[in-house]
Amino acid sequence: MAIPFVDLKAQYRAIKTEVDDAIRQVIEEAAFVLGPAVERFESDFARYLGVDSVVGTSNGTTALQLALLALGVGEGDEVIVPAHTFIATAEAVSHVGAKPVLVDVREETGNLDPAALPGATTPRTKAVIPVHLYGQPADLHPIIDFAESRGIAVLEDACQAHGAAYRGVRVGSYGAASCFSFYPGKNLGAYGEAGAVSTNDPDLAARVRRLRDHGQSRRYYHAEVGYNARMEGIQGAVLGVKLRHLDAWNRARIGHAAYYSAGLSGSDVEVPVTAPDRDHVFHLYVVRSPDRDELREHLTSRGVQTGLHYPVPLHLQPAYEPLKYRPGDFPVTERWAREGLSLPIFPEMRRDQLDEVIQGVRSFRLTAVPQANNR
């Protein structure tokens, strides 16, 4: 049985009529850039998150970049970023002229460790970006408490956490601003690139709206040098349809994750841990094994697609050699990079597909050559 890592075709089949009608309306209105569909989605998503404003952007990376600019982060500033995240989190910092200052993550979740913040903070620190990695919220209260005590802005990277909650409140509503990616494979995904910034600060929202549209607040009157970072109308229409299904899809993901964890109990892999007071929405289901690469080969041989998120930590990426970090600087992050393996998870997965993945993982030790545990 071939099992894809994600199956967007199956998702489309389930919502085809709704999506086709929404896209057709955009085409008939010729509202291809921003427009009514984007405005409706911004309003609906703000209501879903419980925030005052959502500003649609061209992708999640530009959302982070524009949010940092709107927070006043720029040349000579420093921004604290977890070493275990997709590079876009740090790229956005670099693109506004600031320096990413990396910190290690917690062993059990892979999320930013609040205990690392004091040692990473300097007089140049302007912001911290907690990432809700894999769909599990970071430990926001101690991060926010520390940031407020030092006058540091908190910018949530919620690009993998649509619908996740921390202490009963949806992420995307805690920081001075929060950023989302709607890359197609996300829990809430567009049919192309799209992103958004959410905030309760009207001035910050206004500036992001201006920056995304060449620095103009009305046509051809440019208050500042901006960017072309607008959401397309078709993406707004697709996201508006999908938002209505998000909670049901997340419940399916959570159910699949629980089934995986029960089926893999007592196996040779570590299953994900959901920390207390978190509603994890399992954008990714990441197991850990000291024999990760061999396990991946074994699953591939059985037709099971897997992913690596992320095999090279930020501090060891060639792009960030100028930061002068070395192997061993962030040992927990490095273990996650060596051991993490993402198993297939998407709402439309069938029970027989889940069983096949579980059987594939559990059969690994029957065929693999044991290796020393490198913990």
Side-chain angles (χ1 to χ4, degrees), residues 258-324:
Y259 191 79
Y260 267 151
S261 293
L264 295 173
S265 177
S267 71
D268 291 310
V269 300
E270 294 181 32
V271 299
V273 172
T274 299
D277 299 318
R278 320 290 161 86
D279 292 334
H280 191 332
V281 292
F282 291 97
H283 169 57
L284 297 170
Y285 185 91
V286 182
V287 298
R288 295 174 68 182
S289 169
D291 303 328
R292 186 269 310 281
D293 294 338
E294 292 80 6
L295 173 58
R296 190 182 197 203
E297 290 177 7
H298 173 71
L299 291 172
T300 299
S301 73
R302 295 174 62 103
V304 177
Q305 293 183 359
T306 58
L308 301 180
H309 302 89
Y310 301 95
V312 181
L314 291 186
H315 65 291
L316 301 181
Q317 291 283 358
Y320 281 115
E321 283 182 5
L323 296 181
K324 300 187 184 305

Side-chain angles (χ1 to χ4, degrees), residues 65-118:
Q65 182 178 347
L66 300 188
L68 286 166
L69 290 170
L71 287 167
V73 178
E75 195 74 35
D77 293 329
E78 295 178 354
V79 177
I80 299 173
V81 174
H84 185 46
T85 183
F86 181 54
I87 196 170
T89 314
E91 275 181 325
V93 175
S94 299
H95 281 310
V96 303
K99 175 185 176 183
V101 176
L102 305 182
V103 295
D104 215 346
V105 297
R106 283 183 164 168
E107 187 76 61
E108 65 276 15
T109 64
N111 277 328
L112 186 151
D113 186 351
L117 294 178

